[in-house]
Amino acid sequence: MYFCIQIDTMYKAVIRSLLFKFDPEAVHYFTFDVIKLISKIPFISSLIRLLFKVQHPVLERELFGLKFQNPVGLAAGFDKNAVLYNELANFGFGFIEIGTVTPKAQEGNPKKRLFRLKDDNGLINRMGFNNEGLDAVKARLEARQDSPARATGPVGVNLGANKDSEDRANDYAVLLKALSGLADFFTVNISSPNTPGLRTLQSGDALDELLKKVNDARWAEPVFLKVAPDLNTADIEAIVKAVE
């Protein structure tokens, strides 16, 4: 415990101050490279697990047939392209969610698109579903099946629609059909404000069409629906009825 406190103190006093002198998106990918590199050093992954992994029956959860060692997971947006999820699982997360993945690769919104809010200890994210696309992510998830360093907890995939898609509901169906059997759960993301018009899928006939296509495409894995956090009660009730 003392060692972990010392690491945290060193990070806040030295490492974070240094990293904050650089562009946040550049730092994000630099961190990726560092974790990837150090994880290749013998025994480092075991050491990271020893420092960060906490196992206790009171933390365990079972939902929708999935077992979680703890309820704290790594949300989508960090490992967009399924590059680092096995290594990230060593840091004690109860689950990892990769993505957001779209059928076709896309650059996302123009840079600069990630902004630090230092006083609030937060970030503004205007990335816009930048990712390498379905084929690249599928290949990495297929490789996961035989990996000796495979993440032990559930791994989910956050699904999105391409910005230039003419049939966004179909984008989700395409992704589900292609990736079923390669992940433990899926999240249909219609909450992002960074893809113009995406939130129109949250209501009315557009939502009904989306849910029908998703239901027809899904296999055995649980599928979650991610909606905007600022909906009013009536909007939420309508979504729940449509899902039911």
Side-chain angles (χ1 to χ4, degrees):
M1 178 63 74
Y2 175 76
F3 184 60
C4 290
I5 292 173
Q6 291 296 99
I7 291 176
D8 183 63
T9 301
M10 182 177 70
Y11 168 74
K12 290 179 178 178
V14 180
I15 299 175
R16 184 170 66 177
S17 297
L18 178 62
L19 294 178
F20 272 30
K21 296 182 183 298
F22 299 93
D23 175 76
E25 187 170 348
V27 169
H28 173 84
Y29 291 110
F30 171 76
T31 304
F32 254 61
D33 293 339
V34 170
I35 295 175
K36 196 77 174 177
L37 178 64
I38 65 173
S39 296
K40 293 179 180 179
I41 301 173
F43 309 114
I44 288 295
S45 293
S46 298
L47 177 60
I48 293 172
R49 284 194 295 271
L50 180 65
L51 291 173
F52 291 99
K53 197 170 185 178
V54 178
Q55 287 185 280
H56 194 284
V58 75
L59 297 175
E60 295 175 0
R61 299 288 188 274
E62 184 169 351
L63 296 168
F64 305 100
L66 301 175
K67 293 183 179 181
F68 302 86
Q69 290 186 347
N70 67 72
V72 180
L74 181 64
F78 192 84
D79 187 4
K80 291 177 176 291
N81 297 304
V83 172
L84 205 64
Y85 58 95
N86 285 320
E87 291 85 351
L88 291 169
N90 293 326
F91 287 86
F93 295 109
F95 63 92
I96 304 287
E97 188 170 340
I98 64 170
T100 299
V101 181
T102 55
K104 296 185 296 183
Q106 60 181 26
E107 291 292 329
N109 291 326
K111 298 178 181 180
K112 188 175 180 180
R113 56 195 182 184
L114 193 63
F115 307 89
R116 293 189 183 96
L117 301 178
K118 295 182 180 179
D119 293 339
D120 300 305
N121 292 320
L123 288 168
I124 293 177
N125 170 2
R126 296 175 182 163
M127 304 295 278
F129 288 173
N130 57 306
N131 73 105
E132 296 176 9
L134 169 60
D135 290 343
V137 170
K138 183 178 180 180
R140 295 186 182 118
L141 288 175
E142 287 173 337
R144 168 189 182 230
Q145 306 304 309
D146 301 318
S147 172
R150 177 173 174 168
T152 54
V155 173
V157 183
N158 192 284
L159 311 176
N162 280 115
K163 186 175 182 178
D164 61 356
S165 174
E166 296 181 359
D167 187 349
R168 289 179 172 174
N170 191 60
D171 280 9
Y172 294 97
V174 167
L175 291 165
L176 273 172
K177 288 178 180 178
L179 297 176
S180 288
L182 299 177
D184 299 300
F185 67 90
F186 295 96
T187 301
V188 172
N189 184 351
I190 53 174
S191 74
S192 175
N194 298 317
T195 299
L198 186 71
R199 288 188 173 186
T200 60
L201 295 176
Q202 293 181 142
S203 61
D205 293 339
L207 177 60
D208 290 337
E209 180 187 4
L210 169 68
L211 294 177
K212 182 181 185 305
K213 288 189 175 182
V214 165
N215 202 46
D216 290 343
R218 64 187 290 265
W219 288 12
E221 300 91 356
V223 177
F224 301 94
L225 185 68
K226 181 181 179 184
V227 297
D230 53 357
L231 296 171
N232 60 41
T233 302
D235 291 334
I236 294 171
E237 289 177 349
I239 291 172
V240 170
K241 288 180 181 178
V243 171
E244 288 176 340

